[in-house]
Amino acid sequence: GAGVSQSPSNKVTEKGKDVELRCDPISGHTALYWYRQSLGQGLEFLIYFQGNSAPDKSGLPSDRFSAERTGGSVSTLTIQRTQQEDSAVYLCASSLKLAGDETQYFGPGTRLLVL
Amino acid sequence: AQSVAQPEDQVNVAEGNPLTVKCTYSVSGNPYLFWYVQYPNRGLQFLLKYITGDNLVKGSYGFEAEFNKSQTSFHLKKPSALVSDSALYFCAVRDMEAAGNKLTFGGGTRVLVKP
């Protein structure tokens, strides 16, 4: 079956512009996660959505970052007023929410370059 | 708090030889433990996980890992490495008793298998 998909695969933007990154989770997965992978920081958790519960935003690095998940499926990560330090690969993952089986499956990522 | 350490930035091994990638973790409660592999310009691919039960876990592509509670380790192993195993490997942990569902990743270990 289809895995997690993300778009765009690559995004180049100018400092100060806003960007939107999209994630389509695996069908039927109720949990969705965003992570950031950068050279200096490794893999960092950003935000977690589970069903209709309030999202866990504890990993968002600043108020320039926000995310939403519409209809319990597709999610959009928005970065406002991008900075060069936002350059990274943004990874989305999804999982079922079953006790004992919460394996997260990752998409291919969006590579963001802020000039 | 939860954390993961992968003490080796890179592991070099000859094709056909055993491969070991080390991982130690720290959690307050009991751990969920995962190994992921990342090929160049790709997302993270799930290899195996430990949730409960047998300490020796078998996963994809002939990989296995042994959960050792006393040493808080979850080393990844493969009896006979292939050149195609050359990639970046990540260990990850989630505290079963912690709220939320975020994974904490190690810094990654690059594996280079030489023919």
Side-chain angles (χ1 to χ4, degrees):
Chain A
V4 177
S5 60
Q6 294 185 245
S7 61
S9 54
N10 291 281
K11 177 71 176 178
V12 180
T13 190
E14 294 178 348
K15 177 181 173 181
K17 301 278 190 181
D18 297 352
V19 296
E20 286 189 351
L21 312 180
R22 178 188 168 104
C23 172
D24 279 273
I26 293 172
S27 178
H29 280 192
T30 57
L32 186 147
Y33 318 76
W34 284 97
Y35 293 85
R36 179 170 69 174
Q37 184 177 21
S38 54
L39 281 176
Q41 301 296 326
L43 269 158
E44 307 170 85
F45 165 79
L46 296 177
I47 188 168
Y48 158 57
F49 296 89
Q50 171 53 45
N52 295 321
S53 303
D56 176 358
K57 303 180 182 179
S58 60
L60 294 178
S62 76
D63 58 9
R64 295 187 296 105
F65 288 72
S66 63
E68 62 178 19
R69 188 178 185 193
T70 54
S73 180
V74 171
S75 177
T76 302
L77 177 69
T78 300
I79 309 174
Q80 296 178 309
R81 306 180 302 282
T82 52
Q83 304 294 312
Q84 288 180 332
E85 61 262 29
D86 299 333
S87 296
V89 178
Y90 289 82
L91 293 166
C92 176
S94 70
S95 74
L96 293 168
K97 183 60 177 176
L98 295 174
D101 187 4
E102 298 171 352
T103 303
Q104 296 180 27
Y105 296 92
F106 284 79
T110 293
R111 188 173 300 273
L112 175 66
L113 178 60
V114 182
L115 300 176
Chain B
Q2 55 193 40
S3 66
V4 178
Q6 292 181 242
E8 301 155 317
D9 290 336
Q10 181 159 325
V11 170
N12 298 319
V13 63
E15 188 174 32
N17 281 2
L19 169 63
T20 298
V21 186
K22 295 179 181 177
C23 171
T24 57
Y25 67 90
S26 176
V27 293
S28 301
N30 291 308
Y32 286 144
L33 291 155
F34 301 83
W35 275 102
Y36 287 87
V37 60
Q38 187 176 37
Y39 297 98
N41 299 314
R42 303 282 295 275
L44 273 67
Q45 185 173 333
F46 169 72
L47 276 181
L48 51 79
K49 66 184 176 187
Y50 172 82
I51 302 296
T52 186
D54 289 341
N55 290 341
L56 184 63
V57 178
K58 294 187 182 296
S60 308
Y61 313 118
F63 284 94
E64 60 187 29
E66 186 165 12
F67 171 62
N68 188 318
K69 188 171 184 177
S70 63
Q71 297 185 3
T72 61
S73 68
F74 190 56
H75 303 328
L76 181 70
K77 299 181 181 183
K78 186 171 184 179
S80 178
L82 301 173
V83 172
S84 57
D85 293 329
S86 298
L88 187 57
Y89 291 79
F90 289 96
C91 182
V93 70
R94 180 171 99 72
D95 188 334
M96 286 187 196
E97 279 79 40
N101 202 33
K102 68 176 182 180
L103 291 176
T104 297
F105 287 85
T109 298
R110 189 166 300 281
V111 170
L112 180 59
V113 182
K114 298 181 179 179

